[in-house]
Amino acid sequence: MSKYIIGIDLGGTNIKSAVFNTTFKKIHERSDATEADEGPIHVLNRMANITQEMMAAEGIHSDEVNCMGIGVPGLLDPQTGLSIFSPNFPRWENIHVVNHMNNHFDFPIFIDNDVRVNLYGEWLFGAGVGCRNLVLLTLGTGLGSGIVNDGKVIYGATSSAGEIGHMNMYREGRACRCGSSGCLGRYVSAVGMVRTLTEKLEAGRSSMIKEWVEGDPSRITAHMISNAYDLGDTLAVEVMHETGEILGFGLSNVINMLNPEMIIVGGCMSAAGDRLLNSVRNTVRNHSLKLSSGACTIVQAKLGGQAGMIGAAAYANHRLLSNTGM
């Protein structure tokens, strides 16, 4: 009888991997450098080697593994196992992840978008347990999102539903890699908030952060803005509130459209906590439908970097049971 499920969260910097039992208790966990610059085949072989090493370390035979799930950044087809494009990986286009991994393993393997596997993790094991209608945001380099509606994860016609980060907020705004401009993610991600602060410094505003980075704006981080906020830096407070207000306007639209009972904010920006979320909540309260906003709580993610691994495993188990008709 199969006893284990493997979950992998493939990131641009690290591959986070874990083995779980069938009740999703973690048996083994590790994190390894992705080495994305070496190309897609190298990354895929690296994931296969990591999996084999975890199984060997725990004495797990292939026929004891129920299935494996992998969260992959970017656009993909979860039904065929094809990763169409991933912006975090050089030369990564139309990479058949599942076919390649099937050369190494004979148990079922499934892939999904990295944000959606985080959604599965927070929904089933983290902040969203018990919710039937929720939205997960991951605020980092960009803004990723996933949606649960009436107890089902939403995929859409091309498995790209939930691109809240590309909601257009300004007719003539910051250029986005999607080809449009003024996208929400260009303002409320960690990169977006840093850019807002940098633009204000370039316009002549002052901040202790300028001294911290010795006048080099390329060294500014979102974490620095949080630290300066705590020290009462006027510009840091302004930028944090401005970022939260823009996100609040975006989420007001989300709440009016989707009527979620919870919005979970994850990613590195979630570390800002109430510094950011208080402005978000105030804006939502004032600019979304009262009935809908009154039923929706906005909270920080609970699992942090663990969500992707356990979410990938839970997603794979769900796909396996769906495919077998159970």
Side-chain angles (χ1 to χ4, degrees), residues 4-315:
Y4 303 101
I5 303 170
I6 298 170
I8 296 181
D9 184 8
L10 174 61
T13 303
N14 294 305
I15 301 170
K16 297 179 180 180
S17 314
V19 178
F20 300 89
N21 66 16
T22 52
T23 61
F24 297 98
K25 178 182 178 182
K26 193 188 306 171
I27 305 298
H28 189 102
E29 176 186 357
R30 60 186 282 180
S31 178
D32 300 85
T34 305
E35 300 178 359
D37 289 341
E38 299 296 322
I41 299 304
H42 176 83
V43 173
L44 294 173
N45 287 336
R46 193 157 172 72
M47 283 197 296
N49 291 337
I50 289 167
T51 302
Q52 290 166 342
E53 289 171 7
M54 289 195 301
M55 291 169 61
E58 299 297 332
I60 298 171
H61 190 270
S62 181
D63 61 11
E64 295 181 292
V65 178
N66 231 355
C67 54
M68 178 164 70
I70 306 172
V72 181
L75 301 175
L76 49 77
D77 183 345
Q79 296 303 317
T80 64
L82 178 69
S83 175
I84 299 168
F85 173 71
S86 183
N88 298 329
F89 298 91
R91 306 181 299 281
W92 191 285
E93 292 185 22
N94 295 317
I95 305 300
H96 210 300
V97 177
V98 170
N99 277 0
H100 186 93
M101 299 299 282
N102 281 339
N103 292 328
H104 299 271
F105 306 105
D106 55 9
F107 46 76
I109 299 169
F110 306 95
I111 68 169
D112 202 353
N113 176 269
D114 61 333
V115 178
R116 272 196 298 264
V117 299
N118 272 269
L119 171 67
Y120 276 98
E122 286 290 345
W123 177 34
L124 299 175
F125 305 99
V129 170
C131 291
R132 288 184 56 79
N133 296 277
L134 67 89
V135 174
L136 171 77
L137 305 180
T138 55
L139 293 172
T141 304
L143 192 168
S145 51
I147 300 167
V148 176
N149 181 255
D150 288 337
K152 294 182 179 180
V153 176
I154 300 301
Y155 281 82
T158 60
S159 298
S160 53
E163 288 289 352
I164 293 168
H166 294 290
M167 183 185 302
N168 189 273
M169 303 297 292
Y170 302 98
R171 293 186 68 178
E172 297 294 336
R174 295 173 183 172
C176 182
R177 285 184 296 179
C178 74
S180 185
S181 60
C183 293
L184 180 62
R186 301 300 292 161
Y187 296 87
V188 302
S189 62
V191 171
M193 186 168 70
V194 167
R195 180 171 174 180
T196 299
L197 183 93
T198 302
E199 288 175 348
K200 291 179 184 293
L201 290 175
E202 291 173 347
R205 300 288 300 279
S206 62
S207 169
M208 62 180 65
I209 295 174
K210 191 172 183 178
E211 298 175 9
W212 293 351
V213 299
E214 299 176 334
D216 180 2
S218 67
R219 292 168 54 190
I220 298 173
T221 66
H223 184 62
M224 288 180 182
I225 299 175
S226 286
N227 287 341
Y229 178 104
D230 291 340
L231 294 171
D233 184 87
T234 301
L235 187 60
V237 171
E238 177 184 314
V239 167
M240 188 71 74
H241 287 169
E242 183 178 316
T243 302
E245 185 176 59
I246 296 170
L247 179 56
F249 276 112
L251 293 186
S252 293
N253 292 328
V254 170
I255 288 170
N256 290 346
M257 285 189 294
L258 299 175
N259 193 201
E261 60 198 281
M262 180 177 289
I263 295 176
I264 303 171
V265 180
C268 67
M269 278 277 283
S270 67
D274 287 342
R275 303 178 189 90
L276 176 72
L277 295 183
N278 281 340
S279 294
V280 174
R281 295 180 184 117
N282 287 337
T283 305
V284 163
R285 190 178 304 116
N286 294 325
H287 295 279
S288 59
L289 295 171
K290 301 302 180 187
L291 182 63
S292 299
S293 63
C296 181
T297 56
I298 301 174
V299 302
Q300 285 178 264
K302 185 176 181 180
L303 299 181
Q306 302 291 307
M309 293 180 291
I310 193 169
Y315 160 75

